[in-house]
Amino acid sequence: MVTGVLGIVGLLLSVAGLYGVIAYSAARRTREIGIRLALGAPRRAVLRLILKEGVGLAVIGVVVGLGLAALATPLLKSLLFGMSALDPSTYLVMPTILVAVALLASYLPARRAASGDPMAALRAE
């Protein structure tokens, strides 16, 4: 139970961190996004641009994490009871959940950036 609670807390912290990074990145790129929208880029393309950045960061983190987890397998064998250290369902389900949560955490800043007024963004600086 403690491990599950710590896992959920870790997931929430990663969501908050990714949301903060993507929101900050989108805010710093307000002028660029305003220019893209003023030149006729569809809002869908701006949304996709920011979502791709957030999910890309998550995928890099998942790949590095899976590699480190595979390297730590010999250390974990003595701590696990009733399951193997290379449990396939864990190595398939958890990365999927992490990428889905990253997509959700990136969606809010992406939607905010795509719905902005291009003229207001260009006048802001």
Side-chain angles (χ1 to χ4, degrees):
M1 180 132 168
V2 172
T3 306
V5 170
L6 288 175
I8 291 172
V9 168
L11 182 64
L12 291 175
L13 285 173
S14 67
V15 167
L18 185 63
Y19 172 80
V21 168
I22 298 301
Y24 178 74
S25 173
R28 297 274 303 161
R29 296 168 67 182
T30 302
R31 188 170 179 94
E32 173 199 344
I33 292 168
I35 291 171
R36 285 177 187 265
L37 291 172
L39 290 176
R43 295 191 186 280
R44 199 174 51 241
V46 172
L47 185 74
R48 195 171 340 144
L49 175 77
I50 305 226
L51 284 175
K52 190 192 302 186
E53 181 182 346
V55 172
L57 286 172
V59 167
I60 290 170
V62 164
V63 168
V64 170
L66 286 174
L68 291 174
L71 290 175
T73 299
L75 301 172
L76 294 174
K77 282 187 179 185
S78 65
L79 299 172
L80 297 174
F81 302 104
M83 65 184 299
S84 101
L86 290 173
D87 184 34
S89 63
T90 303
Y91 280 86
L92 294 175
V93 171
M94 290 315 296
T96 305
I97 290 173
L98 288 173
V99 171
V101 167
L103 184 64
L104 179 68
S106 301
Y107 178 72
L108 294 174
R111 190 181 69 181
R112 187 179 320 122
S115 67
D117 181 28
M119 293 311 293
L122 293 174
R123 279 190 219 119
E125 291 185 27

